[in-house]
Amino acid sequence: MGQKTQPLAMIQAPKLGQWLLYSVGSLCAVSALLAWLVDLDTALSVWSGGLLAISGHAYFAWYAFRYQGAKYARLIWKGFTKGEAGRFSIVIIGFCMIFKVWPAVDVLPLFISFIGCYFMTLFLGSRTLM
């Protein structure tokens, strides 16, 4: 009767720093390789699109994973909605800024790297967060 009870499961906090390091590191490696093999404009376009996708994901993850547990359900829901709205805002404003400030951007590498980094961060997130 004097036994201590153990919690059934302990949820660890996500490793957001590790995820961010892997994402930005792989983006910089690909951009440097493209700068060496193709040209600087293509590499900067790839870097800009990838950084835009990663920054949107990072903003969402910052707000979505702040709280854990059933008693924080309302705060978790607010974090998800605020993070999702912020991610869309970052992406829309980021694309507007890229096209306004840098008219010589290579559009195809920009969008390919945005979509590629979007899915890469989902894959890396599922690997590093668990």
Side-chain angles (χ1 to χ4, degrees):
M1 200 158 187
Q3 295 177 341
K4 292 183 180 180
T5 58
Q6 295 285 334
L8 294 177
M10 294 296 293
I11 300 174
Q12 295 179 352
K15 302 171 187 171
L16 296 178
Q18 183 181 7
W19 164 80
L20 191 61
L21 182 68
Y22 287 158
S23 298
V24 172
S26 59
L27 175 65
C28 288
V30 168
S31 297
L33 185 66
L34 284 174
W36 184 55
L37 293 176
V38 183
D39 66 345
L40 189 60
D41 284 337
T42 304
L44 287 175
S45 298
V46 167
W47 186 77
S48 299
L51 195 63
L52 192 57
I54 291 169
S55 61
H57 273 298
Y59 185 86
F60 173 75
W62 174 259
Y63 277 99
F65 299 116
R66 290 172 110 178
Y67 303 101
Q68 296 177 357
K71 68 179 181 178
Y72 296 114
R74 183 173 302 275
L75 292 174
I76 292 170
W77 175 252
K78 285 183 181 181
F80 267 85
T81 55
K82 187 174 183 178
E84 193 66 33
R87 175 171 47 180
F88 283 131
S89 299
I90 286 171
V91 168
I92 289 169
I93 291 169
F95 274 122
C96 289
M97 286 176 54
I98 288 172
F99 289 127
K100 181 73 175 174
V101 172
W102 188 21
V105 65
D106 289 338
V107 177
L108 187 62
L110 177 77
F111 284 119
I112 288 174
S113 68
F114 176 79
I115 293 169
C117 281
Y118 184 82
F119 288 112
M120 179 193 66
T121 54
L122 291 176
F123 174 74
L124 284 176
S126 67
R127 295 289 181 182
T128 58
L129 295 179
M130 300 301 162

